[in-house]
Each structure stands twice: as C-alpha cells, then as structure tokens.
Amino acid sequence: MEMTTTAAKQGAQNRPPSAPEWRVTVPEGASVTVVHEATGRAARAWACLVSLVLACRDNRVIGFGRRAWRIGADDPRRAVHGLKVGLALALVSVFYYTRPLYDGVGGAAMWAVLTVVVVFEYTVGGCVYKGLNRAIATASAAVVALGVHWIASKSGDKLEPFIRSGSVFLLAATATFSRFIPAVKARFDYGVTIFILTYSLVAVSGYRVGALVAMTQQRVSTIAIGVSICVATCALICPVWAGQELHRATARNMDKLAAAVESIVDDYFSSSSKPSPSTPPASSSGSAAANAIEGYIRCVLNSKASEDAQANLARWEPPHGRFGFRHPYAQYRNVGAAMRHCAYCVEALAACVRSATQPPAAPPGHASRRNGHLGGACTQVAALCGRVLREASGSVAAMATSGALDLAVAEMGDAVRELQDDLRALPPSTLLMLDEAAQLFTVTSLLIEVSARIEGVVDAVDTLARLANFRPEDDDEKPAASAAKDQSVMNPDSEQSGGRKAFEQA
C-alpha cells in the first residue's frame, strides 16, 4: 500500500502544473465508470440538434418549404406520384428481402429494383412506353446475344473474340443510327438505348460466364417483374392519363386565346378614349392585365413540345373512358398548330397595341367619332372571336358537337364584313393624324386576320370531332350559361369589362 502511494505521488509530481487532477476515493474492490466522455458526446448531439432547429428557422429553408408545399397544393397528383413510386419500390424489394423469392430469381433481383427506378413515369402512357420498350428491347437483345454466343462458340477460340466484338460494333452502330429516323425516335428511342446496353452486357459477359442462358433468363424475368409492378401501380392507383392531359390542355389553350383577344382589343379602345394625354398609360392593375395577356399567348405558343410528347405517350395507353383504342391523338397536334397559327397573329396584335402611343390632342368630335364608329365594331368582332373559341373549347372538353359553334362562326363572319364596310366608309376627315390612322388600320387589319385564323381552328376542331366520334349535343342538356353568353355578346361593353376585371384579378 505504501509503494502504491509513493508511485501515485511521483506520478503527480511528474504531471504538468496546468493539467487537471482527478481524485476518486472508493472502497477496495469497487468499480468506477467515468462518464465525462459520454456527457461530451451528448452535449455535441444537443448542439447539432439546436443548430438544425435554428437552420430550419432560416428564411431560405422556410421559403423552400413553402414552395414545395405550394407545388403539392397546386396539383396533389404530384404528391400521389411520389407515394406510388415508393409503393412500387417497396413491392419490388420483397423479391430481394424474401428468401424464397430471392432464391427463385437469384442475384438478379436487383434488376427489378433498377427497372422500377428508370421505368416509373408520371403518366400511364409514359410508364407503358418505357416498360414495353425496356421489356421488348431486353428480350430481343438477349435472344440476339444468345444466337451470336452460339455462333461464336462454334467458330473456335481464335475467331470467337472477333465475332463477339464485331457483332457489338455492327449492332451498336446500326441501332444508334436508327435513332435518327423520326418514326423510330418518336416511339422506340428508349428501347433502342436499352437494346444496345443489354446486348453489350450480355455479349461481353458471355465470353467469360459459363451459365449465360441462366443469367439471361434471370435478368429478363426480373425486368418483367419490375415492369409489371410499375404498370400496375401507375394504372390502378390514381392514374394520370397522357391522353386526358392533352385533351384538357387543348381546351384550356382555346379559352386563354379567347380571353387574350378580347382583352387586347378592349385595352386599345379604352386607352384611346382617355381625355388627357398626360395620364399615365399603365397602372399596376393594367400592367398585371398585360402580363396575364402575354402569359396566355406564350402558353399557347410554347405548347408544341408538350403536345407532341403527350400525343406520342397517349398512343401507348390502353382504352379508358371515352378514349378508345385508336383515338385520334395526332389530330390534337393539328388543332394545336392551328391555335399557334392564330396566336402568332394575336401576339402581333398585342405588340401593336402595346407600342401604340397616346395620340396628340384633337378636337373632341374626332376622337369620339372614331371610337364610336370603329370601336364598337372592333369590340363586337373581338367578342365574337372569343365566343367562337370558347364554343370550340366547350365542344372539345365535352367531346360533343355544338350547333352553337356554327352559329357563332356565322355571326363572327357577319361582324367582320360589317367592320370592313365601316372601315371603307370611314370619312377622311375623321382621321386627321397619320400616326393615329396607321395604328387604327393596323389593329383593324390584324383583328380581321385573327378572325380568319380562328376559322382554321374551328375546321381542325370539326375534323377532331369527326375522327373521335364526338356525340351530338342534346338540346335539353345545354347549360343555362349559354343564354347569358349570347346576351353578353349582344352587349359587348359588359362582357369586356368583366374580362378586364378577370385579368386584373389574375
């Protein structure tokens, strides 16, 4: 005991003076647990937790959370899509975690998981497109690879590497070139890529792997399992059909185009009737309305890529609802092309109105006479153009032919002819200023051209109705809103004021 005390004293003397000294007196045979290191780790954990809470209170984190919530609230199907992907991965992982199923498919069970990750898409058409392309490409590449493997194995050890590498070169080059063909790229681009990948993997691995047939069978079966789970989950749980998305987008774009035409003409003639040239040409509500008009036009003009993609994916979807097996999805692209052809003219009309400056002061009789002589006729034509587009939109949305559409087209034609007659009969003394006359003639000419292009949209809609077998509209099912719409056309001032309020609220 004395020796131990002496050693402890010597150790204490050898320590640096600044080092802390710990002394614990315990009974002989007892054990002591030092917990200061565990306490330090707990303190660091609490510090990290506090830092995380403080970081969550950062404005950037809060802003990101609000944007994410807004995206999900705008379209809850996006959140449902995430849940469907998680469900599909959970189902396919059963083949990897369950021993009997894992023994049935072997180590290739991971291919099913990879298939779900790369095949699952937002729409049913996209999922079926990728799933069938992946399954067919994998099966065909495996068959071709097995055939080349058999030929190479019978050719001897010297020729076998050349046959394998030569087949990879030829098939990869040919398949890659086929992706430049428009028909192949539109329908089988993903499948060609999978064919090149699968054939290269099987051909290269077959040179060193003995059980090539068993390996190929396992991969094909696991990919088929993954594709089946993807298609079943996507089509049976809250499905999103590409054909329906294309159908609804076409109807919405017609409504947006109608609202843009009406608001542009209303803005031009309402601004030209201001009494004072010194009044600011635009207010906050006016700029908001102009931005809404520009957004509507851009939405129609930029719809080509989305329409082409949705039309290509919709052809892979099974029949559902009123969308039959050979539904004319390609005709929706023609309708969209006609709307874009009209939207370009509407954009030119909007640019003309936007660049129009406030005319210099003129005698009171001249400005009022101009607005009273042409303003009412142009507003009437714009209102009827909007009515025609809305009737066409309702016909597409309801998938029913509309007798009111033909009537609206006839009334629009009559209004255009009256506008042309009024423009020819306009006395020269009415327009004293060259700039004002040029602006008025340009706006009127563009409005007449817009009405002509709207007739092209109606022709495309009629073709769609004939190809898709739209049902005839029943007279007793016509909504009561049609009477109010007709009354608003007869009184364009009330309709235009309502449309302007809608733009200001947007």
Side-chain angles (χ1 to χ4, degrees):
M1 189 67 180
E2 292 179 357
M3 294 177 62
T4 304
T5 304
T6 304
K9 291 181 179 180
Q10 291 178 356
Q13 292 176 359
N14 293 332
R15 293 174 185 168
S18 60
E21 182 176 353
W22 294 81
R23 295 182 180 180
V24 180
T25 302
V26 297
E28 186 175 357
S31 60
V32 179
T33 302
V34 181
V35 297
H36 63 279
E37 294 183 359
T39 304
R41 289 194 296 269
R44 287 193 296 270
W46 277 106
C48 292
L49 182 59
V50 172
S51 301
L52 181 61
V53 173
L54 294 178
C56 292
R57 297 179 60 184
D58 189 4
N59 292 331
R60 291 174 296 179
V61 178
I62 296 176
F64 176 79
R66 289 177 179 175
R67 286 192 297 270
W69 178 266
R70 190 180 303 113
I71 290 174
D74 292 340
D75 192 354
R77 296 179 301 176
R78 298 169 182 171
V80 176
H81 174 68
L83 297 177
K84 291 195 295 185
V85 173
L87 177 61
L89 286 173
L91 292 176
V92 79
S93 63
V94 174
F95 288 87
Y96 201 80
Y97 295 139
T98 306
R99 175 59 61 181
L101 298 177
Y102 180 82
D103 294 338
V105 296
M110 186 57 66
W111 285 90
V113 178
L114 296 176
T115 300
V116 172
V117 173
V118 300
V119 167
F120 210 108
E121 289 291 330
Y122 180 67
T123 61
V124 178
C127 189
V128 174
Y129 160 74
K130 277 196 168 183
L132 291 181
N133 271 266
R134 185 174 180 85
I136 295 173
T138 301
S140 59
V143 171
V144 175
L146 290 176
V148 173
H149 172 71
W150 183 82
I151 295 174
S153 62
K154 301 297 183 181
S155 302
D157 296 338
K158 294 183 179 180
L159 295 178
E160 183 176 359
F162 295 99
I163 293 177
R164 293 181 181 277
S165 58
S167 65
V168 171
F169 171 77
L170 291 176
L171 289 175
T174 304
T176 302
F177 176 77
S178 68
R179 298 177 64 186
F180 292 101
I181 303 175
V184 176
K185 185 175 182 59
R187 298 186 180 184
F188 308 107
D189 184 70
Y190 181 73
V192 172
T193 304
I194 296 299
F195 177 86
I196 297 173
L197 175 63
T198 304
Y199 179 80
S200 301
L201 291 176
V202 175
V204 172
S205 62
Y207 184 65
R208 298 297 180 186
V209 178
L212 181 61
V213 177
M215 181 190 68
T216 304
Q217 181 181 2
Q218 289 177 353
R219 290 188 179 181
V220 171
S221 61
T222 51
I223 289 175
I225 291 171
V227 169
S228 302
I229 292 177
C230 284
V231 174
T233 305
C234 187
L236 298 180
I237 302 176
C238 299
V240 179
W241 303 97
Q244 292 182 358
E245 294 296 309
L246 175 63
H247 186 84
R248 294 167 183 168
T250 302
R252 286 197 303 267
N253 287 340
M254 289 184 192
D255 291 332
K256 293 176 182 178
L257 199 59
V261 173
E262 293 172 348
S263 184
I264 289 170
V265 176
D266 177 64
D267 287 343
Y268 176 71
F269 286 100
S270 62
S271 63
S272 63
S273 60
K274 291 180 181 178
S276 176
S278 61
T279 305
S283 60
S284 59
S285 60
S287 61
N291 293 334
I293 295 172
E294 188 69 20
Y296 283 179
I297 297 174
R298 287 297 174 186
C299 183
V300 178
L301 293 178
N302 298 332
S303 62
K304 177 176 173 52
S306 176
E307 289 175 357
D308 291 343
Q310 290 176 347
N312 290 330
L313 296 179
R315 290 184 296 184
W316 295 88
E317 294 179 345
H320 55 281
R322 298 200 60 194
F323 298 87
F325 181 71
R326 298 182 63 85
H327 192 78
Y329 294 109
Q331 181 60 26
Y332 286 93
R333 289 193 276 192
N334 297 333
V335 177
M339 284 193 294
R340 285 188 294 274
H341 184 63
C342 180
Y344 284 121
C345 193
V346 175
E347 185 181 30
L349 179 62
C352 180
V353 172
R354 187 170 54 251
S355 62
T357 57
Q358 185 69 25
H366 292 88
S368 60
R369 185 176 180 183
R370 186 196 75 177
N371 292 322
H373 195 72
L374 291 181
C378 290
T379 306
Q380 178 75 3
V381 171
L384 289 171
C385 289
R387 179 189 173 188
V388 170
L389 288 173
R390 289 193 177 93
E391 289 290 346
S393 172
S395 176
V396 172
M399 299 186 72
T401 57
S402 175
L405 178 59
D406 297 333
L407 179 60
V409 172
E411 292 179 356
M412 182 182 68
D414 294 338
V416 169
R417 285 188 290 272
E418 291 178 2
L419 176 60
Q420 291 173 341
D421 295 338
D422 292 342
L423 189 61
R424 295 190 192 98
L426 192 65
S429 60
T430 305
L431 298 174
L432 298 178
M433 302 171 196
L434 183 61
D435 293 341
E436 182 182 357
Q439 292 172 6
L440 181 60
F441 284 132
T442 303
V443 169
T444 305
S445 301
L446 288 174
L447 184 59
I448 294 173
E449 180 63 23
V450 167
S451 64
R453 298 190 180 189
I454 288 176
E455 292 181 359
V457 176
V458 174
D459 293 338
V461 172
D462 290 339
T463 304
L464 175 62
R466 177 173 52 84
L467 295 177
N469 296 323
F470 282 6
R471 60 178 175 82
E473 184 183 29
D474 297 333
D475 295 335
D476 54 351
E477 293 182 358
K478 290 182 179 180
S482 60
K485 184 182 293 186
D486 295 339
Q487 182 64 28
S488 63
V489 172
M490 297 302 296
N491 187 8
D493 295 335
S494 61
E495 181 176 344
Q496 295 303 320
S497 62
R500 185 177 182 84
K501 289 179 180 179
F503 274 109
E504 293 177 355
Q505 292 176 359

Short mmCIF file of all heavy atoms in Angstrom, two decimals, residues 313-337:
data_model
loop_
_atom_site.label_atom_id
_atom_site.label_comp_id
_atom_site.label_asym_id
_atom_site.label_seq_id
_atom_site.Cartn_x
_atom_site.Cartn_y
_atom_site.Cartn_z
N LEU A 313 -47.03 9.72 -76.13
CA LEU A 313 -47.24 8.83 -74.99
C LEU A 313 -48.67 8.31 -74.94
O LEU A 313 -48.90 7.19 -74.49
CB LEU A 313 -46.91 9.57 -73.69
CG LEU A 313 -45.45 10.00 -73.51
CD1 LEU A 313 -45.27 10.74 -72.19
CD2 LEU A 313 -44.51 8.81 -73.58
N ALA A 314 -49.63 9.12 -75.38
CA ALA A 314 -51.02 8.70 -75.31
C ALA A 314 -51.30 7.51 -76.21
O ALA A 314 -52.22 6.72 -75.94
CB ALA A 314 -51.94 9.87 -75.68
N ARG A 315 -50.54 7.34 -77.28
CA ARG A 315 -50.77 6.22 -78.18
C ARG A 315 -50.43 4.88 -77.54
O ARG A 315 -50.85 3.83 -78.02
CB ARG A 315 -49.94 6.41 -79.45
CG ARG A 315 -50.45 7.53 -80.33
CD ARG A 315 -49.68 7.63 -81.62
NE ARG A 315 -48.29 7.99 -81.41
CZ ARG A 315 -47.42 8.22 -82.39
NH1 ARG A 315 -47.81 8.12 -83.65
NH2 ARG A 315 -46.17 8.53 -82.13
N TRP A 316 -49.65 4.90 -76.46
CA TRP A 316 -49.30 3.66 -75.76
C TRP A 316 -50.31 3.28 -74.69
O TRP A 316 -50.22 2.20 -74.11
CB TRP A 316 -47.92 3.81 -75.12
CG TRP A 316 -46.80 3.97 -76.09
CD1 TRP A 316 -46.34 5.13 -76.63
CD2 TRP A 316 -46.00 2.94 -76.66
NE1 TRP A 316 -45.31 4.88 -77.49
CE2 TRP A 316 -45.07 3.54 -77.53
CE3 TRP A 316 -45.98 1.55 -76.52
CZ2 TRP A 316 -44.14 2.81 -78.24
CZ3 TRP A 316 -45.05 0.82 -77.23
CH2 TRP A 316 -44.14 1.45 -78.07
N GLU A 317 -51.25 4.16 -74.40
CA GLU A 317 -52.18 3.90 -73.30
C GLU A 317 -53.30 2.97 -73.74
O GLU A 317 -53.76 3.03 -74.89
CB GLU A 317 -52.76 5.22 -72.80
CG GLU A 317 -51.74 6.12 -72.14
CD GLU A 317 -52.34 7.44 -71.68
OE1 GLU A 317 -53.46 7.75 -72.13
OE2 GLU A 317 -51.70 8.13 -70.88
N PRO A 318 -53.76 2.13 -72.83
CA PRO A 318 -54.93 1.28 -73.14
C PRO A 318 -56.20 2.12 -73.20
O PRO A 318 -56.22 3.25 -72.72
CB PRO A 318 -54.95 0.28 -71.97
CG PRO A 318 -54.30 1.01 -70.85
CD PRO A 318 -53.25 1.88 -71.47
N PRO A 319 -57.28 1.59 -73.78
CA PRO A 319 -58.54 2.36 -73.82
C PRO A 319 -59.03 2.67 -72.41
O PRO A 319 -58.99 1.84 -71.52
CB PRO A 319 -59.49 1.41 -74.56
CG PRO A 319 -58.60 0.50 -75.33
CD PRO A 319 -57.37 0.31 -74.50
N HIS A 320 -59.50 3.89 -72.24
CA HIS A 320 -60.01 4.31 -70.94
C HIS A 320 -61.04 5.41 -71.17
O HIS A 320 -60.82 6.34 -71.95
CB HIS A 320 -58.90 4.83 -70.04
CG HIS A 320 -58.09 5.94 -70.66
ND1 HIS A 320 -57.11 5.71 -71.60
CD2 HIS A 320 -58.14 7.28 -70.48
CE1 HIS A 320 -56.57 6.85 -71.97
NE2 HIS A 320 -57.18 7.83 -71.33
N GLY A 321 -62.17 5.28 -70.53
CA GLY A 321 -63.21 6.28 -70.67
C GLY A 321 -63.70 6.38 -72.11
O GLY A 321 -63.99 5.39 -72.78
N ARG A 322 -63.77 7.61 -72.61
CA ARG A 322 -64.19 7.85 -73.98
C ARG A 322 -63.01 7.87 -74.95
O ARG A 322 -63.18 8.18 -76.12
CB ARG A 322 -64.94 9.18 -74.07
CG ARG A 322 -66.22 9.21 -73.24
CD ARG A 322 -67.14 10.30 -73.74
NE ARG A 322 -67.50 10.06 -75.14
CZ ARG A 322 -68.08 10.97 -75.92
NH1 ARG A 322 -68.32 12.18 -75.43
NH2 ARG A 322 -68.38 10.69 -77.17
N PHE A 323 -61.84 7.56 -74.45
CA PHE A 323 -60.65 7.50 -75.30
C PHE A 323 -60.46 6.04 -75.73
O PHE A 323 -59.98 5.21 -74.95
CB PHE A 323 -59.42 8.02 -74.55
CG PHE A 323 -59.54 9.47 -74.15
CD1 PHE A 323 -60.15 9.83 -72.96
CD2 PHE A 323 -59.07 10.47 -74.98
CE1 PHE A 323 -60.27 11.15 -72.59
CE2 PHE A 323 -59.18 11.80 -74.62
CZ PHE A 323 -59.78 12.14 -73.43
N GLY A 324 -60.85 5.76 -76.95
CA GLY A 324 -60.83 4.39 -77.44
C GLY A 324 -59.43 3.93 -77.82
O GLY A 324 -58.41 4.61 -77.59
N PHE A 325 -59.39 2.74 -78.44
CA PHE A 325 -58.11 2.13 -78.76
C PHE A 325 -57.38 2.91 -79.84
O PHE A 325 -56.16 3.06 -79.79
CB PHE A 325 -58.34 0.68 -79.23
CG PHE A 325 -57.07 -0.04 -79.57
CD1 PHE A 325 -56.18 -0.43 -78.58
CD2 PHE A 325 -56.77 -0.33 -80.88
CE1 PHE A 325 -55.01 -1.09 -78.91
CE2 PHE A 325 -55.60 -1.00 -81.22
CZ PHE A 325 -54.72 -1.37 -80.22
N ARG A 326 -58.08 3.44 -80.84
CA ARG A 326 -57.47 4.20 -81.91
C ARG A 326 -57.97 5.66 -81.88
O ARG A 326 -58.38 6.21 -82.91
CB ARG A 326 -57.78 3.55 -83.27
CG ARG A 326 -57.24 2.13 -83.40
CD ARG A 326 -57.53 1.56 -84.77
NE ARG A 326 -56.86 2.32 -85.82
CZ ARG A 326 -55.61 2.12 -86.21
NH1 ARG A 326 -54.88 1.17 -85.63
NH2 ARG A 326 -55.08 2.84 -87.16
N HIS A 327 -57.92 6.24 -80.71
CA HIS A 327 -58.33 7.64 -80.59
C HIS A 327 -57.37 8.52 -81.38
O HIS A 327 -56.14 8.33 -81.32
CB HIS A 327 -58.33 8.05 -79.11
CG HIS A 327 -59.01 9.35 -78.86
ND1 HIS A 327 -60.38 9.50 -78.83
CD2 HIS A 327 -58.50 10.59 -78.64
CE1 HIS A 327 -60.68 10.76 -78.57
NE2 HIS A 327 -59.56 11.45 -78.46
N PRO A 328 -57.88 9.52 -82.12
CA PRO A 328 -57.00 10.34 -82.99
C PRO A 328 -56.19 11.37 -82.21
O PRO A 328 -56.44 12.59 -82.29
CB PRO A 328 -58.01 11.00 -83.95
CG PRO A 328 -59.26 11.11 -83.15
CD PRO A 328 -59.30 9.88 -82.28
N TYR A 329 -55.20 10.88 -81.47
CA TYR A 329 -54.37 11.82 -80.71
C TYR A 329 -53.54 12.71 -81.63
O TYR A 329 -53.18 13.84 -81.25
CB TYR A 329 -53.45 11.05 -79.77
CG TYR A 329 -54.18 10.31 -78.67
CD1 TYR A 329 -54.27 8.92 -78.68
CD2 TYR A 329 -54.77 11.00 -77.63
CE1 TYR A 329 -54.95 8.24 -77.67
CE2 TYR A 329 -55.45 10.33 -76.62
CZ TYR A 329 -55.53 8.95 -76.65
OH TYR A 329 -56.20 8.29 -75.66
N ALA A 330 -53.21 12.23 -82.83
CA ALA A 330 -52.42 13.06 -83.74
C ALA A 330 -53.19 14.31 -84.17
O ALA A 330 -52.58 15.34 -84.48
CB ALA A 330 -52.01 12.25 -84.96
N GLN A 331 -54.52 14.24 -84.19
CA GLN A 331 -55.30 15.40 -84.61
C GLN A 331 -55.22 16.53 -83.59
O GLN A 331 -55.37 17.70 -83.94
CB GLN A 331 -56.77 14.98 -84.82
CG GLN A 331 -57.69 16.10 -85.28
CD GLN A 331 -57.27 16.69 -86.62
OE1 GLN A 331 -56.63 16.03 -87.43
NE2 GLN A 331 -57.64 17.95 -86.84
N TYR A 332 -54.95 16.19 -82.32
CA TYR A 332 -54.77 17.25 -81.33
C TYR A 332 -53.57 18.12 -81.68
O TYR A 332 -53.57 19.33 -81.40
CB TYR A 332 -54.58 16.64 -79.94
CG TYR A 332 -55.85 16.09 -79.34
CD1 TYR A 332 -56.19 14.74 -79.51
CD2 TYR A 332 -56.71 16.89 -78.60
CE1 TYR A 332 -57.35 14.22 -78.97
CE2 TYR A 332 -57.87 16.37 -78.05
CZ TYR A 332 -58.18 15.04 -78.24
OH TYR A 332 -59.34 14.54 -77.71
N ARG A 333 -52.57 17.53 -82.29
CA ARG A 333 -51.44 18.33 -82.73
C ARG A 333 -51.82 19.29 -83.85
O ARG A 333 -51.30 20.41 -83.94
CB ARG A 333 -50.30 17.42 -83.17
CG ARG A 333 -49.64 16.69 -82.01
CD ARG A 333 -48.35 16.06 -82.41
NE ARG A 333 -48.56 14.76 -83.01
CZ ARG A 333 -47.60 13.88 -83.26
NH1 ARG A 333 -46.34 14.19 -82.97
NH2 ARG A 333 -47.86 12.71 -83.80
N ASN A 334 -52.72 18.85 -84.73
CA ASN A 334 -53.20 19.75 -85.77
C ASN A 334 -54.01 20.90 -85.18
O ASN A 334 -53.91 22.04 -85.64
CB ASN A 334 -54.04 18.96 -86.79
CG ASN A 334 -53.24 17.90 -87.51
OD1 ASN A 334 -52.02 18.04 -87.67
ND2 ASN A 334 -53.90 16.84 -87.95
N VAL A 335 -54.83 20.59 -84.18
CA VAL A 335 -55.57 21.66 -83.51
C VAL A 335 -54.60 22.63 -82.83
O VAL A 335 -54.77 23.86 -82.90
CB VAL A 335 -56.56 21.06 -82.49
CG1 VAL A 335 -57.28 22.17 -81.72
CG2 VAL A 335 -57.58 20.17 -83.19
N GLY A 336 -53.59 22.09 -82.18
CA GLY A 336 -52.60 22.96 -81.55
C GLY A 336 -51.83 23.81 -82.56
O GLY A 336 -51.54 24.99 -82.30
N ALA A 337 -51.52 23.23 -83.72
CA ALA A 337 -50.85 24.01 -84.76
C ALA A 337 -51.74 25.15 -85.25
O ALA A 337 -51.26 26.27 -85.50
CB ALA A 337 -50.44 23.10 -85.91
#
